[in-house]
Amino acid sequence: MRVAVVGGGVIGLATTYYLLQSNHTVRCFEKNQPMSERSLGSSRIFRLAHQDPELVAIASKSRALFAQWEMRGGPIVSDCGTVISDEELEPWVSSMAAAGAKYEIASSSSTNTLRLPTRKLPSHALLDLSGGVIDVDRVKSLLTGATAAATHLEQVRALEQLARGVRIWTESGHADFDTAVITAGAGTPELAAQVGMHTPSEMEHALRLTFRLRAGVENPQCWIDKPFDGVSTYQHENTRGQWAVGAHMPIDDVAWEVGRDHAEKASARVVRNYVASTLDDVDPTEIGRVYCTHPNLGDGFHFLREGGIVAFYGDNLFKMAPFVGKTLAEAIVDGSTPSQADLAH
């Protein structure tokens, strides 16, 4: 089967990877460099912990596939664990329990359990024992190496359903395929609309800052913390001795229409204040930052189909990349339209 994959982020490359493993003829179109937009950065948090048991189950399946990737490319997900501190822990605990995932309940007195760069330990927290840090550079090396021959640096301008198959239009002309999958991130809504599929187009700005860990901090856990009303932070050791902190901000501060400059300033101010007031073992001097855009959808993902074309969209997806890529590769071949609920079982 001849398949076009439109978009070379981590999801598009993972889909291409699994299609190639099944001996299909694949062309992955990417307008820039692979994994250079929403998939950029050197690391991500991996976690089973979600407030939806379906996502816990799917993340568990994705972790097993990461383990298969590690057999080819070396260690990808560290085993440091991920801490969730939230005044409303019950949804997290219930979801982990319903999915049969391993976790512990820790408290500020659990000095042997919590390894966070602060002396102000949360009064209670969920410890996701399967959590850790994803080595994005290693994922990128594995996927770009395995899909290099199938990757074409061209921007897709249009898709067209044919009586039999799909036509892909680029700046250099067109090519025909049996089927296609759209995994183009911010470009998905425009492309999907051309063939009658609606996907959300509202985007927001996101910023993650990096700081130095003070001497003596060893193997800290990833941490998702909710310190203020309307703000949650996500943080982890992205390189040895460096601590990355991002914040999910009120939408009024990071909505697309406020502009990148305003959103970056607002996010940086909140993160720097949080680091200075809470993270005793982190030097509050910023040493780096990563900016990207993403849809305001929360955790989760969705599949749409129109004829021979499947469109995929979602948010907070890197940790799900192996499972989503494998699922898309199977769906585009067998003609199915997966759902998140179906995939959890």
Side-chain angles (χ1 to χ4, degrees):
M1 180 175 282
R2 297 166 302 158
V3 185
V5 177
V6 183
V10 68
I11 300 297
L13 291 186
T15 304
T16 303
Y17 171 82
Y18 283 111
L19 285 166
L20 290 171
Q21 283 201 327
S22 298
N23 297 316
H24 295 286
T25 300
V26 191
R27 185 177 298 181
C28 177
F29 295 92
E30 169 54 43
K31 66 179 180 180
N32 296 310
Q33 291 298 316
M35 291 178 57
S36 62
E37 295 190 28
R38 285 174 61 192
S39 300
L40 55 73
S42 63
S43 59
R44 290 287 194 286
I45 293 174
F46 180 84
R47 57 186 166 96
L48 298 187
H50 290 80
Q51 295 188 52
D52 181 343
E54 291 176 358
L55 291 176
V56 178
I58 290 169
S60 181
K61 294 178 181 182
S62 192
R63 182 63 186 89
L65 292 173
F66 269 127
Q68 293 181 12
W69 288 10
E70 289 176 330
M71 295 176 66
R72 290 194 56 180
I76 290 175
V77 183
S78 74
D79 60 359
C80 62
T82 297
V83 174
I84 311 291
S85 55
D86 188 338
E87 289 184 2
E88 299 293 331
L89 268 186
E90 178 55 30
W92 299 88
V93 173
S94 296
S95 292
M96 292 288 278
K102 295 180 180 179
Y103 69 93
E104 293 179 359
I105 300 299
S107 68
S108 56
S109 60
S110 306
T111 55
N112 294 326
T113 303
L114 294 179
R115 302 186 311 279
L116 302 172
T118 178
R119 289 185 285 277
K120 306 177 184 69
L121 291 172
S123 59
H124 62 292
L126 181 148
L127 174 56
D128 176 356
L129 297 172
S130 299
V133 179
I134 302 172
D135 186 332
V136 171
D137 290 334
R138 185 155 284 168
V139 171
K140 182 176 181 178
S141 177
L142 184 152
L143 290 180
T144 55
T147 63
T151 301
H152 293 253
L153 299 183
E154 287 188 282
Q155 182 171 2
V156 171
R157 298 295 188 185
L159 293 86
E160 178 185 356
Q161 295 270 18
L162 304 176
R164 285 192 164 192
V166 177
R167 179 163 291 170
I168 302 293
W169 293 87
T170 67
E171 296 169 332
S172 61
H174 69 267
D176 294 345
F177 299 86
D178 297 310
T179 186
V181 56
I182 306 172
T183 58
T188 293
E190 179 181 355
L191 292 170
Q194 295 175 4
V195 288
M197 291 184 284
H198 170 74
T199 65
S201 58
E202 296 80 10
M203 302 295 292
E204 64 181 45
H205 306 272
L207 182 69
R208 192 177 79 187
L209 304 185
T210 302
F211 307 86
R212 294 195 189 282
L213 283 166
R214 300 191 191 281
V217 180
E218 296 293 334
N219 194 31
Q221 292 147 331
C222 305
W223 190 12
I224 296 175
D225 185 29
K226 293 193 173 181
F228 319 119
D229 287 342
V231 173
S232 62
T233 64
Y234 48 96
Q235 44 195 306
H236 65 281
E237 187 177 29
N238 66 342
T239 301
R240 186 169 179 81
Q242 296 185 6
W243 193 247
V245 184
H248 291 296
M249 299 283 291
I251 191 61
D252 289 347
D253 289 321
V254 294
W256 190 253
E257 57 268 21
V258 305
R260 174 174 174 175
D261 184 61
H262 173 91
E264 281 206 57
K265 287 179 180 177
S267 297
R269 181 170 59 252
V270 167
V271 169
R272 286 196 294 259
N273 288 343
Y274 172 79
V275 170
S277 64
T278 305
L279 303 184
D280 314 88
D281 294 326
V282 177
D283 186 322
T285 304
E286 176 189 337
I287 61 171
R289 62 175 57 190
V290 172
Y291 164 85
C292 67
T293 64
H294 62 79
N296 181 27
L297 298 174
D299 289 328
F301 51 85
H302 307 272
F303 305 86
L304 298 175
R305 175 182 283 278
E306 184 65 36
I309 301 176
V310 173
F312 171 82
Y313 66 95
D315 199 5
N316 292 332
L317 297 173
F318 205 106
K319 59 186 173 294
M320 307 293 194
F323 182 75
V324 170
K326 188 171 187 292
T327 299
L328 279 168
E330 293 169 351
I332 201 67
V333 171
D334 67 22
S336 65
T337 308
S339 73
Q340 182 176 290
D342 292 339
L343 296 175
H345 302 292

